[in-house]
Amino acid sequence: MNATNPFFDDVLSTHALIRDWLSGEAAAPEYCAQLLARFAPAFTMVAPGGKQLDHAGLTTFFRAAGGSRPGLQMRLSDLVLIQDSAAGASVSYRECQSLPGGENTERLSTVVYDKTPAGALLWRHLHETWVV
């Protein structure tokens, strides 16, 4: 994995924000706003079980779920740059989550990025599939 790849860096730092928000390590509303700012207004998602979310659904989820998973750990691996262009990129990765005393879950994910004219990276689409 190339640690200097801006897309890989963004996947890792976005997951750190998600972990800190869901675990309750970060609880300020501004933190949730910082997390949500990483997702494009036209964001869509297919969750591992097939549920589909748009940006409004993601916002509702994150606002309600802050601190709901104390002790949450996330480990990402196998990051692969599928495509990169002036307009965006696609990255796949493996994500393992665990909770103290809880079951470990694992998923394969692909994120599609939009690049803004200013060069910001925004999550445009995320597709997750359970590893069984």
Side-chain angles (χ1 to χ4, degrees):
M1 174 174 23
N2 179 357
T4 62
N5 181 299
F7 300 105
F8 294 175
D9 291 345
D10 188 79
V11 168
L12 297 170
S13 63
T14 299
H15 279 80
L17 290 170
I18 292 168
R19 180 200 61 229
D20 290 351
W21 177 251
L22 294 179
S23 71
E25 290 183 34
E30 297 80 21
Y31 193 90
C32 186
Q34 179 186 0
L35 170 59
L36 288 168
R38 292 184 173 238
F39 297 89
F43 175 78
T44 55
M45 175 180 178
V46 178
K51 182 178 180 179
Q52 296 183 48
L53 288 176
D54 59 10
H55 194 279
L58 184 75
T59 299
T60 298
F61 166 76
F62 276 132
R63 287 186 178 154
S68 66
R69 304 187 76 195
L72 174 65
Q73 295 296 312
M74 300 172 110
R75 184 174 42 84
L76 277 65
S77 63
D78 304 332
L79 280 81
V80 175
L81 183 64
I82 297 170
Q83 70 86 21
D84 182 6
S85 71
S90 300
V91 174
S92 65
Y93 57 94
R94 180 179 293 264
E95 176 184 343
C96 299
Q97 293 187 13
S98 62
L99 287 168
E103 189 175 320
N104 294 341
T105 61
E106 190 172 355
R107 65 196 80 196
L108 298 175
S109 301
T110 301
V111 58
V112 177
Y113 279 101
D114 281 342
K115 284 185 201 174
T116 69
L121 304 179
L122 296 176
W123 290 51
R124 174 61 182 86
H125 181 75
L126 175 63
H127 192 117
E128 300 180 325
T129 302
W130 292 122
V131 174
V132 292

